[in-house]
Amino acid sequence: MLIIKCFTCNMLSENCYVVSDETNDCVIIDCGAYYPEEAQAIIGYVRDNKLTPRHLLCTHGHFDHCMGNGFIFRAFGLKPKAHQDDSFLMEKMEQQTSDILGIPVHLDVPPTDTYLTNSDTITFGTHTWQILSTPGHTPGSIVFYDAKEHAAFSGDTLFRMSIGRTDFERGSYVEMMASLQYLSKQLPADTTVYPGHGPQTTMADEIRYNPYMR
């Protein structure tokens, strides 16, 4: 059984997830903690629940999903894992942050530990997750999917009744539409989707009501 805790982080209200199971192993997904109190809430939750972080995962390389990677590295020694097609974003985190926010920003983030491919899996505790490649928002956008638990972490590919933007560097609306159709075939209707922003949803609701998935 997965225990999923969501923390809303930074000026863009990004969702960071700490996901654990009965072994007390956990993964941290999209740590966007920018303010110290956000980082302390995440780190405190892990320590208070005696969890052992095994992976720091990134659904994509945009800064609002990675701003807290330095906090996690200093607390637990984990470096981020992201898809190889987003290496151009992971390697210029401060620059993209400053470019988008319009002000100089210093981020003390660690280098990427592992660049993932579509054939890789993520294992922790008693769980093994698939990596689903969903380019569109960024070339290396991915969804982490737990088939046993019917749970998917969609980053900025799929939101409740919406989708992520495709007008950032190397984004593609055509690829996004193809990725959404791919997800509609890969994820059963009873899959709970945990997005990078906003509330959770289900594939059944998205297929039925999301105008981008029709």
Side-chain angles (χ1 to χ4, degrees):
M1 175 180 176
L2 292 180
I3 301 169
I4 301 169
K5 176 69 173 178
C6 180
F7 298 85
T8 302
C9 298
N10 68 53
M11 61 290 291
L12 297 182
S13 298
E14 178 270 344
N15 291 336
C16 169
Y17 297 96
V18 178
V19 185
S20 58
D21 68 10
E22 65 276 7
T23 70
N24 281 6
D25 272 7
C26 75
V27 297
I28 300 168
I29 305 172
D30 287 355
C31 187
Y34 178 66
Y35 302 105
E37 56 269 26
E38 296 171 344
Q40 288 307 310
I42 296 167
I43 293 168
Y45 173 81
V46 171
R47 289 176 172 164
D48 290 347
N49 288 279
K50 297 180 173 55
L51 304 179
T52 302
R54 297 300 185 187
H55 305 284
L56 172 58
L57 305 176
C58 303
T59 60
H60 63 291
H62 279 156
F63 73 95
D64 54 319
H65 294 253
C66 300
M67 298 176 96
N69 287 350
F71 291 115
I72 300 305
F73 176 67
R74 289 186 290 276
F76 305 115
L78 294 178
K79 296 180 180 179
K81 293 177 169 67
H83 194 277
Q84 60 186 3
D85 289 345
D86 270 7
S87 60
F88 74 103
L89 291 170
M90 299 299 292
E91 292 166 8
K92 60 174 187 179
M93 194 62 61
E94 284 193 354
Q95 179 185 333
Q96 59 149 315
T97 306
S98 299
D99 288 347
I100 293 176
L101 295 182
I103 56 174
V105 176
H106 174 66
L107 295 177
D108 184 15
V109 295
T112 303
D113 173 56
T114 302
Y115 280 115
L116 302 168
T117 67
N118 305 345
S119 61
D120 289 325
T121 56
I122 300 297
T123 300
F124 69 101
T126 62
H127 291 80
T128 298
W129 290 0
Q130 296 175 244
I131 295 173
L132 306 180
S133 179
T134 56
H137 183 63
T138 66
S141 288
I142 52 180
V143 170
F144 297 105
Y145 174 47
D146 188 322
K148 181 172 70 173
E149 302 283 357
H150 305 277
F153 298 86
S154 63
D156 287 4
T157 295
L158 179 61
F159 301 140
R160 184 177 183 274
M161 304 302 138
S162 188
I163 60 172
R165 291 172 59 172
T166 59
D167 57 340
F168 292 123
E169 182 180 8
R170 294 179 58 184
S172 169
Y173 183 79
V174 172
E175 289 187 335
M176 176 68 88
M177 292 300 100
S179 291
L180 293 174
Q181 290 304 306
Y182 171 68
L183 286 181
S184 72
K185 295 177 174 61
Q186 293 294 313
L187 302 181
D190 63 351
T191 303
T192 301
V193 178
Y194 299 88
H197 301 267
Q200 68 188 57
T201 185
T202 65
M203 283 304 296
D205 283 350
E206 296 310 306
I207 291 170
R208 184 173 182 181
Y209 298 115
N210 189 327
Y212 296 98
M213 298 197 72
R214 294 176 183 171

